[in-house]
Protein backbone atom coordinates (compact mmCIF):
# COMPACT_ATOMS: atom_id res chain seq x y z
CA UNK A 1 0.00 0.00 0.00
CA UNK A 2 2.89 2.38 0.78
CA UNK A 3 4.38 1.79 -2.67
CA UNK A 4 1.01 2.48 -4.29
CA UNK A 5 0.66 5.81 -2.47
CA UNK A 6 4.23 6.73 -3.34
CA UNK A 7 3.50 6.04 -7.00
CA UNK A 8 0.28 8.03 -6.75
CA UNK A 9 2.14 10.97 -5.22
CA UNK A 10 4.65 10.99 -8.09
CA UNK A 11 1.95 10.64 -10.78
CA UNK A 12 -0.16 13.44 -9.26
CA UNK A 13 2.91 15.67 -9.08
CA UNK A 14 3.87 15.00 -12.71
CA UNK A 15 0.31 15.47 -13.97
CA UNK A 16 -0.09 18.74 -12.06
CA UNK A 17 3.27 20.05 -13.26
CA UNK A 18 2.39 19.18 -16.86
CA UNK A 19 -0.88 21.11 -16.68
CA UNK A 20 0.82 24.09 -15.02
CA UNK A 21 3.46 24.33 -17.77
CA UNK A 22 1.17 23.41 -20.67
CA UNK A 23 -1.85 25.50 -19.60
CA UNK A 24 -4.27 23.84 -22.04
CA UNK A 25 -6.87 26.26 -23.40
CA UNK A 26 -5.57 29.00 -21.13
CA UNK A 27 -6.23 27.03 -17.93
CA UNK A 28 -4.88 29.11 -15.05
CA UNK A 29 -1.92 27.77 -13.12
CA UNK A 30 -3.86 28.15 -9.89
CA UNK A 31 -6.73 25.94 -11.04
CA UNK A 32 -4.31 23.25 -12.26
CA UNK A 33 -2.48 23.27 -8.93
CA UNK A 34 -5.71 23.18 -6.91
CA UNK A 35 -6.91 20.28 -9.04
CA UNK A 36 -3.74 18.38 -8.22
CA UNK A 37 -4.14 19.21 -4.53
CA UNK A 38 -7.75 18.00 -4.59
CA UNK A 39 -6.66 14.74 -6.16
CA UNK A 40 -3.91 14.34 -3.57
CA UNK A 41 -6.46 14.86 -0.78
CA UNK A 42 -8.95 12.46 -2.36
CA UNK A 43 -6.36 9.69 -2.67
CA UNK A 44 -4.92 10.15 0.82
CA UNK A 45 -1.52 11.33 -0.41
CA UNK A 46 -2.03 14.39 1.79
CA UNK A 47 -4.38 14.84 4.71
CA UNK A 48 -6.78 17.69 5.45
CA UNK A 49 -4.61 18.60 8.42
CA UNK A 50 -1.73 19.30 6.01
CA UNK A 51 -3.60 22.24 4.45
CA UNK A 52 -3.05 24.74 7.31
CA UNK A 53 0.57 23.57 7.58
CA UNK A 54 1.24 24.29 3.93
CA UNK A 55 -0.67 27.58 4.04
CA UNK A 56 1.50 28.59 6.98
CA UNK A 57 4.56 28.01 4.78
CA UNK A 58 3.38 29.86 1.67
CA UNK A 59 0.97 32.64 2.68
CA UNK A 60 3.57 35.26 3.58
CA UNK A 61 5.64 34.58 0.46
CA UNK A 62 2.66 34.57 -1.89
CA UNK A 63 0.95 37.71 -0.60
CA UNK A 64 4.26 39.59 -0.46
CA UNK A 65 4.93 38.66 -4.07
CA UNK A 66 1.48 39.81 -5.22
CA UNK A 67 1.85 43.13 -3.35
CA UNK A 68 5.29 43.81 -4.85
CA UNK A 69 4.02 43.07 -8.35
CA UNK A 70 1.07 45.44 -7.82
CA UNK A 71 3.52 48.19 -6.80
CA UNK A 72 5.60 47.52 -9.92
CA UNK A 73 2.50 47.55 -12.15
CA UNK A 74 1.39 50.93 -10.81
CA UNK A 75 4.87 52.42 -11.18
CA UNK A 76 5.07 51.01 -14.69
CA UNK A 77 1.81 52.79 -15.52
CA UNK A 78 3.24 55.99 -14.09
CA UNK A 79 6.23 55.65 -16.44
CA UNK A 80 8.87 55.11 -13.75
CA UNK A 81 10.71 52.23 -15.45
CA UNK A 82 10.70 53.78 -18.91
CA UNK A 83 11.96 57.03 -17.35
CA UNK A 84 14.83 55.09 -15.74
CA UNK A 85 15.63 53.22 -18.97
CA UNK A 86 15.78 56.45 -20.99
CA UNK A 87 18.10 57.99 -18.42
CA UNK A 88 20.33 54.92 -18.57
CA UNK A 89 20.39 55.05 -22.37
CA UNK A 90 21.54 58.68 -22.23
CA UNK A 91 24.21 57.85 -19.67
CA UNK A 92 25.70 55.50 -22.26
CA UNK A 93 26.57 58.58 -24.37
CA UNK A 94 26.37 56.65 -27.62
CA UNK A 95 28.71 53.84 -26.51
CA UNK A 96 27.05 50.49 -27.28
CA UNK A 97 29.09 48.52 -24.76
CA UNK A 98 28.35 51.03 -22.02
CA UNK A 99 24.64 50.88 -22.85
CA UNK A 100 24.75 47.08 -22.60
CA UNK A 101 26.43 47.29 -19.19
CA UNK A 102 23.96 49.89 -17.91
CA UNK A 103 20.89 47.96 -19.09
CA UNK A 104 22.18 44.88 -17.26
CA UNK A 105 22.76 46.88 -14.06
CA UNK A 106 19.31 48.49 -14.36
CA UNK A 107 17.75 45.04 -14.74
CA UNK A 108 19.58 43.85 -11.65
CA UNK A 109 18.39 46.86 -9.63
CA UNK A 110 14.77 46.38 -10.68
CA UNK A 111 14.92 42.63 -9.97
CA UNK A 112 16.30 43.20 -6.48
CA UNK A 113 13.34 45.35 -5.43
CA UNK A 114 10.48 44.34 -7.72
CA UNK A 115 11.27 40.60 -8.11
CA UNK A 116 12.50 38.77 -11.18
CA UNK A 117 9.08 38.56 -12.80
CA UNK A 118 8.59 42.31 -12.66
CA UNK A 119 12.08 42.99 -14.00
CA UNK A 120 11.82 40.62 -16.98
CA UNK A 121 8.24 41.32 -18.00
CA UNK A 122 8.25 45.09 -17.48
CA UNK A 123 11.78 46.03 -18.56
CA UNK A 124 11.98 43.77 -21.64
CA UNK A 125 9.23 45.55 -23.64
CA UNK A 126 10.76 48.93 -22.73
CA UNK A 127 14.21 47.82 -23.90
CA UNK A 128 12.70 46.23 -27.02
CA UNK A 129 10.96 49.44 -28.05
CA UNK A 130 14.06 51.50 -27.24
CA UNK A 131 16.13 49.29 -29.54
CA UNK A 132 13.68 49.95 -32.35
CA UNK A 133 14.02 53.68 -31.75
CA UNK A 134 17.81 53.35 -31.87
CA UNK A 135 17.53 51.33 -35.11
CA UNK A 136 19.62 48.45 -33.77
CA UNK A 137 20.08 45.50 -36.13
CA UNK A 138 18.43 42.15 -35.15
CA UNK A 139 21.63 40.56 -33.73
CA UNK A 140 22.15 43.55 -31.43
CA UNK A 141 18.48 43.63 -30.40
CA UNK A 142 18.64 39.90 -29.67
CA UNK A 143 21.69 40.38 -27.42
CA UNK A 144 20.05 43.14 -25.37
CA UNK A 145 16.76 41.28 -24.98
CA UNK A 146 18.43 38.04 -23.87
CA UNK A 147 20.58 39.99 -21.41
CA UNK A 148 17.50 41.68 -19.95
CA UNK A 149 15.72 38.35 -19.38
CA UNK A 150 18.83 36.59 -18.10
CA UNK A 151 19.85 39.20 -15.56
CA UNK A 152 16.34 39.35 -14.09
CA UNK A 153 16.82 35.85 -12.63
CA UNK A 154 20.55 35.67 -11.98
CA UNK A 155 20.44 38.82 -9.84
CA UNK A 156 17.16 38.03 -8.05
CA UNK A 157 19.20 36.94 -5.02
CA UNK A 158 19.93 39.97 -2.81
CA UNK A 159 16.72 40.43 -0.84
CA UNK A 160 14.06 38.06 0.43
CA UNK A 161 11.53 39.81 -1.83
CA UNK A 162 13.64 39.59 -4.99
CA UNK A 163 12.17 36.22 -5.95
CA UNK A 164 9.18 34.23 -4.75
CA UNK A 165 11.39 31.22 -4.02
CA UNK A 166 13.56 33.42 -1.79
CA UNK A 167 10.56 34.26 0.37
CA UNK A 168 9.45 30.64 0.57
CA UNK A 169 12.94 29.52 1.61
CA UNK A 170 13.34 32.31 4.16
CA UNK A 171 9.98 31.51 5.73
CA UNK A 172 10.63 27.77 5.74
CA UNK A 173 14.03 28.07 7.45
CA UNK A 174 13.21 31.10 9.62
CA UNK A 175 15.72 33.47 8.02
CA UNK A 176 15.34 37.11 9.02
CA UNK A 177 15.30 39.79 6.33
CA UNK A 178 18.50 41.36 7.67
CA UNK A 179 20.44 38.08 7.91
CA UNK A 180 19.36 37.06 4.43
CA UNK A 181 20.45 40.43 3.03
CA UNK A 182 23.80 40.27 4.86
CA UNK A 183 24.58 36.94 3.22
CA UNK A 184 23.05 37.39 -0.21
CA UNK A 185 23.71 41.01 -1.23
CA UNK A 186 27.47 40.36 -1.67
CA UNK A 187 26.70 37.01 -3.33
CA UNK A 188 24.29 38.73 -5.72
CA UNK A 189 26.99 41.23 -6.65
CA UNK A 190 29.23 38.28 -7.52
CA UNK A 191 26.41 36.88 -9.67
CA UNK A 192 25.94 40.27 -11.34
CA UNK A 193 29.63 40.50 -12.17
CA UNK A 194 29.75 36.92 -13.48
CA UNK A 195 26.55 37.44 -15.51
CA UNK A 196 27.85 40.61 -17.11
CA UNK A 197 31.14 38.88 -17.93
CA UNK A 198 29.57 35.86 -19.66
CA UNK A 199 26.98 38.01 -21.46
CA UNK A 200 29.68 40.33 -22.77
CA UNK A 201 31.77 37.39 -23.93
CA UNK A 202 28.87 35.56 -25.56
CA UNK A 203 27.50 38.61 -27.39
CA UNK A 204 30.81 40.40 -27.99
CA UNK A 205 30.27 40.41 -31.78
CA UNK A 206 26.64 41.55 -31.57
CA UNK A 207 26.89 44.60 -29.31
CA UNK A 208 27.09 47.71 -31.51
CA UNK A 209 30.02 50.08 -31.12
CA UNK A 210 27.93 53.25 -31.25
CA UNK A 211 24.32 54.47 -31.23
CA UNK A 212 22.65 57.83 -31.80
CA UNK A 213 21.32 59.28 -28.54
CA UNK A 214 19.29 61.86 -30.46
CA UNK A 215 16.85 59.10 -31.49
CA UNK A 216 15.73 58.74 -27.86
CA UNK A 217 12.81 60.55 -26.29
CA UNK A 218 13.45 62.70 -23.23
CA UNK A 219 13.03 60.85 -19.91
CA UNK A 220 10.35 63.35 -18.84
CA UNK A 221 8.17 62.25 -21.77
CA UNK A 222 7.88 58.79 -20.21
CA UNK A 223 6.15 60.04 -17.06
CA UNK A 224 2.39 59.58 -17.39
CA UNK A 225 1.43 60.47 -13.82
CA UNK A 226 3.73 62.90 -12.03
CA UNK A 227 2.11 62.51 -8.63
CA UNK A 228 2.34 58.70 -8.63
CA UNK A 229 5.87 58.89 -10.03
CA UNK A 230 7.00 61.09 -7.13
CA UNK A 231 5.04 59.16 -4.52
CA UNK A 232 6.62 55.97 -5.80
CA UNK A 233 10.06 56.99 -4.54
CA UNK A 234 8.66 57.65 -1.07
CA UNK A 235 6.83 54.31 -1.08
CA UNK A 236 9.99 52.47 -2.15
CA UNK A 237 11.99 54.06 0.67
CA UNK A 238 9.32 53.12 3.21
CA UNK A 239 9.12 49.63 1.72
CA UNK A 240 12.84 48.92 2.09
CA UNK A 241 13.02 50.39 5.58
CA UNK A 242 9.90 48.46 6.55
CA UNK A 243 11.40 45.18 5.41
CA UNK A 244 14.35 45.57 7.78
CA UNK A 245 12.20 46.81 10.67
CA UNK A 246 9.51 44.15 10.30
CA UNK A 247 11.44 41.15 11.65
CA UNK A 248 12.47 42.64 15.02
CA UNK A 249 8.88 43.79 15.52
CA UNK A 250 7.43 40.41 14.56
CA UNK A 251 5.55 41.90 11.61
CA UNK A 252 5.32 39.71 8.47
CA UNK A 253 6.82 41.32 5.37
CA UNK A 254 3.51 40.68 3.58
CA UNK A 255 1.98 43.33 5.85
CA UNK A 256 4.70 45.84 4.94
CA UNK A 257 4.36 45.15 1.21
CA UNK A 258 0.56 45.20 1.48
CA UNK A 259 0.47 48.60 3.17
CA UNK A 260 2.86 50.07 0.59
CA UNK A 261 0.86 48.58 -2.28
CA UNK A 262 -2.34 50.03 -0.84
CA UNK A 263 -0.69 53.46 -0.50
CA UNK A 264 0.60 53.65 -4.08
CA UNK A 265 -2.71 52.36 -5.49
CA UNK A 266 -4.56 55.04 -3.48
CA UNK A 267 -2.28 57.76 -4.86
CA UNK A 268 -2.63 56.44 -8.41
CA UNK A 269 -6.44 56.34 -8.11
CA UNK A 270 -6.57 59.69 -6.22
CA UNK A 271 -8.49 58.10 -3.37
CA UNK A 272 -9.90 59.26 -1.06
CA UNK A 273 -11.09 61.98 -3.41
CA UNK A 274 -11.16 64.62 -0.64
CA UNK A 275 -7.40 64.34 -0.16
CA UNK A 276 -6.68 64.75 -3.87
CA UNK A 277 -9.30 67.42 -4.65
CA UNK A 278 -8.14 69.60 -7.52
CA UNK A 279 -5.35 67.20 -8.56
CA UNK A 280 -7.37 64.86 -10.79
CA UNK A 281 -7.22 65.25 -14.56
CA UNK A 282 -8.39 62.93 -17.27
CA UNK A 283 -5.95 60.73 -19.08
CA UNK A 284 -6.01 57.60 -21.15
CA UNK A 285 -3.30 55.12 -20.37
CA UNK A 286 -2.51 51.80 -21.95
CA UNK A 287 -2.66 48.68 -19.79
CA UNK A 288 0.57 47.90 -17.93
CA UNK A 289 3.21 45.84 -19.69
CA UNK A 290 3.07 43.05 -17.15
CA UNK A 291 -0.72 43.20 -17.18
CA UNK A 292 -0.75 42.85 -20.95
CA UNK A 293 1.71 39.99 -20.69
CA UNK A 294 -0.45 38.13 -18.18
CA UNK A 295 -3.53 38.71 -20.30
CA UNK A 296 -1.68 37.54 -23.38
CA UNK A 297 -0.56 34.37 -21.65
CA UNK A 298 -4.04 33.62 -20.35
CA UNK A 299 -5.62 34.01 -23.79
CA UNK A 300 -2.79 32.12 -25.53
CA UNK A 301 -2.85 34.59 -28.38
CA UNK A 302 -0.97 33.88 -31.56
CA UNK A 303 2.44 35.35 -32.33
CA UNK A 304 3.25 38.14 -34.77
CA UNK A 305 1.75 38.03 -38.25
CA UNK A 306 3.72 36.17 -40.89
CA UNK A 307 3.29 39.17 -43.21
CA UNK A 308 5.66 41.30 -41.13
CA UNK A 309 9.22 41.69 -42.38
CA UNK A 310 11.46 39.31 -40.46
CA UNK A 311 15.09 38.40 -40.13
CA UNK A 312 16.38 35.01 -39.06
CA UNK A 313 19.20 35.24 -36.53
CA UNK A 314 20.74 32.31 -34.63
CA UNK A 315 17.53 30.31 -34.63
CA UNK A 316 15.52 33.41 -33.73
CA UNK A 317 12.89 35.06 -35.89
CA UNK A 318 13.03 38.80 -35.37
CA UNK A 319 10.26 40.90 -36.92
CA UNK A 320 10.39 44.68 -36.84
CA UNK A 321 6.90 45.71 -35.82
CA UNK A 322 4.88 48.80 -35.17
CA UNK A 323 4.09 49.73 -31.62
CA UNK A 324 1.54 47.49 -29.92
CA UNK A 325 -0.83 50.45 -29.77
CA UNK A 326 -0.70 50.76 -33.53
CA UNK A 327 0.82 54.22 -33.66
CA UNK A 328 3.66 53.02 -35.83
CA UNK A 329 6.61 54.42 -33.91
CA UNK A 330 8.93 53.02 -31.29
CA UNK A 331 8.35 53.81 -27.66
CA UNK A 332 11.77 55.32 -27.33
CA UNK A 333 10.88 58.20 -29.64
CA UNK A 334 7.69 60.22 -29.88
CA UNK A 335 5.48 59.44 -32.85
CA UNK A 336 3.09 61.74 -34.66
CA UNK A 337 0.28 61.01 -32.24
CA UNK A 338 2.32 60.98 -29.09
CA UNK A 339 1.69 64.60 -28.18
CA UNK A 340 4.21 66.88 -26.51
CA UNK A 341 7.44 65.56 -25.11
CA UNK A 342 6.35 66.28 -21.58
CA UNK A 343 4.08 63.21 -21.43
CA UNK A 344 0.51 62.92 -20.11
CA UNK A 345 -0.24 63.79 -16.51
CA UNK A 346 -3.20 62.34 -14.68
CA UNK A 347 -4.55 59.56 -12.49
CA UNK A 348 -4.12 55.89 -13.36
CA UNK A 349 -6.99 53.49 -14.01
CA UNK A 350 -6.14 51.11 -11.17
CA UNK A 351 -8.97 48.65 -11.86
CA UNK A 352 -7.24 46.98 -14.83
CA UNK A 353 -3.95 47.05 -12.93
CA UNK A 354 -5.40 45.18 -9.95
CA UNK A 355 -7.17 42.70 -12.20
CA UNK A 356 -3.92 41.96 -14.02
CA UNK A 357 -2.04 41.22 -10.77
CA UNK A 358 -0.92 37.58 -10.43
CA UNK A 359 -3.76 36.41 -8.17
CA UNK A 360 -3.47 32.92 -9.65
CA UNK A 361 -0.14 32.63 -7.83
CA UNK A 362 -2.02 32.49 -4.50
CA UNK A 363 -3.98 29.42 -5.63
CA UNK A 364 -0.89 27.97 -7.31
CA UNK A 365 1.26 28.26 -4.19
CA UNK A 366 -1.26 26.52 -1.95
CA UNK A 367 -2.18 23.83 -4.47
CA UNK A 368 1.30 23.05 -5.81
CA UNK A 369 2.91 22.95 -2.40
CA UNK A 370 0.20 20.60 -1.15
CA UNK A 371 1.09 18.30 -4.03
CA UNK A 372 4.78 18.62 -3.12
CA UNK A 373 3.98 18.02 0.53
CA UNK A 374 2.43 14.75 -0.58
CA UNK A 375 5.84 13.67 -1.89
CA UNK A 376 7.24 14.34 1.57
CA UNK A 377 4.44 12.40 3.26
CA UNK A 378 5.34 9.36 1.18
CA UNK A 379 9.02 9.54 2.12
CA UNK A 380 10.40 10.78 -1.19
CA UNK A 381 11.90 13.96 0.26
CA UNK A 382 13.62 11.87 2.95
CA UNK A 383 15.43 10.03 0.18
CA UNK A 384 16.48 13.35 -1.29
CA UNK A 385 17.64 14.29 2.21
CA UNK A 386 20.04 11.36 2.05
CA UNK A 387 21.61 12.85 -1.08
CA UNK A 388 21.99 16.25 0.60
CA UNK A 389 23.47 14.57 3.68
CA UNK A 390 26.13 12.97 1.48
CA UNK A 391 27.02 16.41 0.14
CA UNK A 392 27.32 17.73 3.70
CA UNK A 393 29.66 14.88 4.66
CA UNK A 394 32.23 16.10 2.13
CA UNK A 395 32.72 19.64 3.39
CA UNK A 396 31.51 23.16 2.67
CA UNK A 397 32.34 23.26 -1.04
CA UNK A 398 30.59 19.96 -1.72
CA UNK A 399 27.59 21.00 0.38
CA UNK A 400 27.11 24.27 -1.50
CA UNK A 401 28.15 23.05 -4.94
CA UNK A 402 26.25 19.77 -4.78
CA UNK A 403 23.08 21.40 -3.45
CA UNK A 404 23.23 24.33 -5.86
CA UNK A 405 23.79 22.29 -8.99
CA UNK A 406 21.29 19.58 -8.03
CA UNK A 407 18.58 22.16 -7.32
CA UNK A 408 19.45 24.04 -10.52
CA UNK A 409 19.09 20.85 -12.54
CA UNK A 410 15.81 19.98 -10.86
CA UNK A 411 14.50 23.51 -11.42
CA UNK A 412 15.36 23.42 -15.11
CA UNK A 413 13.47 20.14 -15.57
CA UNK A 414 10.49 20.48 -13.25
CA UNK A 415 10.17 24.24 -12.61
CA UNK A 416 11.74 26.14 -9.74
CA UNK A 417 8.56 26.71 -7.72
CA UNK A 418 7.93 23.10 -6.71
CA UNK A 419 11.66 22.38 -6.69
CA UNK A 420 12.49 24.88 -3.97
CA UNK A 421 10.06 23.31 -1.49
CA UNK A 422 11.05 19.74 -2.41
CA UNK A 423 14.68 20.71 -1.82
CA UNK A 424 13.82 22.57 1.42
CA UNK A 425 12.13 19.47 2.78
CA UNK A 426 15.15 17.41 1.70
CA UNK A 427 17.64 19.78 3.33
CA UNK A 428 15.58 19.72 6.51
CA UNK A 429 15.64 15.92 6.43
CA UNK A 430 19.42 15.86 5.86
CA UNK A 431 20.01 16.92 9.47
CA UNK A 432 23.07 19.08 8.76
CA UNK A 433 23.93 21.86 11.21
CA UNK A 434 25.99 25.02 11.56
CA UNK A 435 27.58 26.62 8.53
CA UNK A 436 27.08 23.48 6.43
CA UNK A 437 23.32 23.69 6.90
CA UNK A 438 23.29 27.41 6.13
CA UNK A 439 25.36 26.89 2.99
CA UNK A 440 22.85 24.33 1.77
CA UNK A 441 19.91 26.63 2.52
CA UNK A 442 21.38 29.51 0.51
CA UNK A 443 22.67 27.20 -2.23
CA UNK A 444 19.09 25.98 -2.60
CA UNK A 445 18.00 29.57 -3.24
CA UNK A 446 20.82 30.16 -5.75
CA UNK A 447 20.05 26.94 -7.62
CA UNK A 448 16.32 27.73 -7.73
CA UNK A 449 16.96 31.32 -8.92
CA UNK A 450 19.59 30.56 -11.57
CA UNK A 451 18.68 27.03 -12.65
CA UNK A 452 15.48 28.08 -14.47
CA UNK A 453 17.58 29.97 -17.04
CA UNK A 454 18.81 26.66 -18.47
CA UNK A 455 15.47 25.66 -20.04
CA UNK A 456 12.27 27.49 -21.04
CA UNK A 457 10.21 25.45 -18.56
CA UNK A 458 12.42 26.32 -15.60
CA UNK A 459 10.10 29.08 -14.48
CA UNK A 460 6.63 30.33 -15.37
CA UNK A 461 8.07 33.83 -15.86
CA UNK A 462 10.38 32.54 -18.63
CA UNK A 463 7.49 30.93 -20.50
CA UNK A 464 5.53 34.17 -20.22
CA UNK A 465 8.59 36.23 -21.25
CA UNK A 466 9.04 34.11 -24.38
CA UNK A 467 5.37 34.52 -25.20
CA UNK A 468 5.61 38.32 -24.87
CA UNK A 469 8.63 38.38 -27.20
CA UNK A 470 6.83 36.11 -29.66
CA UNK A 471 3.94 38.58 -29.84
CA UNK A 472 6.41 41.39 -30.53
CA UNK A 473 7.92 39.49 -33.45
CA UNK A 474 10.99 37.97 -31.77
CA UNK A 475 10.48 34.22 -31.74
CA UNK A 476 13.10 32.30 -29.76
CA UNK A 477 12.91 28.55 -30.25
CA UNK A 478 13.27 26.26 -27.26
CA UNK A 479 16.41 24.78 -28.80
CA UNK A 480 18.00 28.20 -29.19
CA UNK A 481 17.00 29.17 -25.65
CA UNK A 482 18.48 25.96 -24.20
CA UNK A 483 21.75 26.35 -26.10
CA UNK A 484 22.19 29.91 -24.88
CA UNK A 485 20.78 29.24 -21.42
CA UNK A 486 23.05 26.35 -20.49
CA UNK A 487 26.13 28.12 -21.91
CA UNK A 488 25.49 31.26 -19.87
CA UNK A 489 24.07 29.72 -16.68
CA UNK A 490 26.60 27.03 -15.76
CA UNK A 491 29.63 29.34 -15.30
CA UNK A 492 27.55 31.99 -13.51
CA UNK A 493 26.10 29.35 -11.18
CA UNK A 494 29.55 27.95 -10.38
CA UNK A 495 31.07 31.38 -9.68
CA UNK A 496 28.09 32.43 -7.55
CA UNK A 497 28.24 29.28 -5.43
CA UNK A 498 31.99 29.81 -4.91
CA UNK A 499 31.20 33.37 -3.83
CA UNK A 500 28.65 32.02 -1.34
CA UNK A 501 31.15 29.62 0.20
CA UNK A 502 33.84 32.30 0.49
CA UNK A 503 31.53 34.96 1.95
CA UNK A 504 29.64 32.77 4.41
CA UNK A 505 32.89 31.22 5.60
CA UNK A 506 34.22 34.72 6.22
CA UNK A 507 31.21 36.04 8.18
CA UNK A 508 30.35 32.75 9.90
CA UNK A 509 27.01 31.06 10.52
Amino acid sequence: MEHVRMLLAVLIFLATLTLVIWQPRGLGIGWSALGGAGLALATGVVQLGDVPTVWGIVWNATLTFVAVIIISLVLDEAGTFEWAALHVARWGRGNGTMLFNLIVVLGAAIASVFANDGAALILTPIVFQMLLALKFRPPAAFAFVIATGFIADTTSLPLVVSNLVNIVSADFFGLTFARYALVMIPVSLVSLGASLLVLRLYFRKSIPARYDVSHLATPASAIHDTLTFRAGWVVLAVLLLGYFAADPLGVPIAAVAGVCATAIVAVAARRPALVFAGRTTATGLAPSRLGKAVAASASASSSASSEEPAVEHAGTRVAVQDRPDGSGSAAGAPGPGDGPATGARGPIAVGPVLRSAPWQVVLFSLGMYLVVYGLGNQGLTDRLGGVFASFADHGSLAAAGGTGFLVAGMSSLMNNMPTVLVAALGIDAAGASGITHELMVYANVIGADLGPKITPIGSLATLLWLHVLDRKGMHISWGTYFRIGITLTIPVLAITLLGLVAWLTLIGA
Side-chain angles (χ1 to χ4, degrees):
M1 188 63 180
E2 289 184 4
H3 292 294
V4 172
R5 284 193 175 178
M6 185 178 294
L7 180 60
L8 272 174
V10 172
L11 291 176
I12 292 171
F13 172 78
L14 293 176
T16 304
L17 186 61
T18 300
L19 288 175
V20 165
I21 294 173
W22 181 25
Q23 295 182 41
R25 298 189 178 183
L27 180 65
I29 59 172
W31 302 122
S32 298
L34 281 183
L39 190 57
L41 283 166
T43 55
V45 170
V46 293
Q47 305 300 317
L48 202 58
D50 294 329
V51 176
T53 301
V54 170
W55 180 245
I57 295 172
V58 304
W59 76 269
N60 188 41
T62 304
L63 297 182
T64 301
F65 178 78
V66 172
V68 168
I69 292 298
I70 288 174
I71 294 171
S72 68
L73 289 173
V74 173
L75 295 183
D76 181 42
E77 289 283 7
T80 304
F81 301 112
E82 189 172 353
W83 172 87
L86 288 170
H87 268 296
V88 162
R90 289 176 177 276
W91 293 342
R93 298 184 177 182
N95 185 308
T97 300
M98 180 61 71
L99 176 63
F100 190 85
N101 295 345
L102 289 171
I103 289 294
V104 167
V105 172
L106 175 63
I110 294 175
S112 67
V113 180
F114 297 104
N116 59 324
D117 297 53
L121 298 175
I122 288 176
L123 186 59
T124 298
I126 293 172
V127 170
F128 190 89
Q129 294 300 111
M130 184 190 298
L131 299 177
L132 291 181
L134 292 173
K135 298 180 174 60
F136 277 14
R137 297 182 62 192
F142 180 71
F144 275 81
V145 168
I146 288 292
T148 304
F150 185 75
I151 205 68
D153 280 330
T154 61
T155 57
S156 64
L157 299 168
L159 303 177
V160 167
V161 295
S162 303
N163 196 311
L164 182 55
V165 300
N166 301 3
I167 314 173
V168 172
S169 298
D171 282 354
F172 187 91
F173 291 107
L175 304 175
T176 66
F177 192 91
R179 175 62 182 180
Y180 181 96
L182 174 65
V183 174
M184 294 300 270
I185 286 178
V187 173
S188 186
L189 291 175
V190 171
S191 183
L192 171 59
S195 298
L196 186 55
L197 176 63
V198 297
L199 285 166
R200 285 276 303 275
L201 287 173
Y202 192 89
F203 292 113
R204 62 189 180 279
K205 296 181 180 179
S206 301
I207 301 172
R210 305 293 303 174
Y211 64 94
D212 190 349
V213 179
S214 66
H215 289 155
L216 295 169
T218 60
S221 68
I223 302 174
H224 302 300
D225 181 356
T226 306
L227 183 61
T228 303
F229 171 80
R230 291 173 177 169
W233 298 106
V234 177
V235 168
L236 290 181
V238 172
L239 185 68
L240 291 174
L241 290 173
Y243 285 150
F244 284 98
D247 277 324
L249 298 174
V251 177
I253 59 173
V256 176
V259 168
C260 290
T262 302
I264 198 65
V265 167
V267 172
R270 308 297 196 269
R271 293 289 185 270
L274 185 63
V275 176
F276 298 97
R279 288 182 174 268
T280 303
T281 60
T283 185
L285 298 177
S288 65
R289 293 173 182 83
L290 184 53
K292 288 189 288 186
V294 173
S297 177
S299 62
S301 300
S302 60
S303 59
S305 168
S306 60
E307 295 180 0
E308 293 159 349
V311 178
E312 293 288 340
H313 169 65
T316 306
R317 182 178 181 276
V318 181
V320 179
Q321 297 177 261
D322 289 344
R323 288 175 63 174
D325 61 11
S327 63
S329 64
D338 286 340
T342 54
R345 264 73 170 176
I348 292 169
V350 298
V353 172
L354 293 177
R355 286 193 293 273
S356 67
W359 301 109
Q360 282 276 322
V361 171
V362 179
L363 304 179
F364 171 79
S365 294
L366 177 61
M368 194 72 221
Y369 289 145
L370 271 172
V371 172
V372 169
Y373 210 74
L375 298 177
N377 286 349
Q378 307 312 314
L380 290 171
T381 54
D382 288 338
R383 297 187 181 189
L384 182 61
V387 177
F388 286 129
S390 68
F391 294 152
D393 291 339
H394 290 83
S396 297
L397 198 58
T403 301
F405 272 96
L406 177 59
V407 172
M410 291 169 61
S411 295
S412 69
L413 294 175
M414 67 180 211
N415 194 270
N416 66 337
M417 291 289 285
T419 294
V420 73
L421 187 58
V422 169
L425 293 169
I427 292 170
D428 193 49
S433 60
I435 193 171
T436 301
H437 172 76
E438 197 167 5
L439 279 168
M440 294 167 72
V441 168
Y442 288 111
N444 180 30
V445 172
I446 293 170
D449 282 359
L450 274 63
K453 303 314 296 178
I454 297 174
T455 66
I457 64 171
S459 72
L460 298 173
T462 298
L463 290 170
L464 187 52
W465 178 76
L466 290 171
H467 182 68
V468 170
L469 289 177
D470 204 46
R471 284 172 54 81
K472 288 185 171 295
M474 181 177 281
H475 175 74
I476 302 175
S477 68
W478 282 28
T480 299
Y481 184 94
F482 174 73
R483 186 175 66 253
I484 296 172
I486 196 167
T487 303
L488 297 177
T489 303
I490 297 302
V492 174
L493 178 60
I495 293 170
T496 304
L497 289 170
L498 286 173
L500 170 68
V501 174
W503 177 243
L504 199 52
T505 301
L506 180 64
I507 64 173

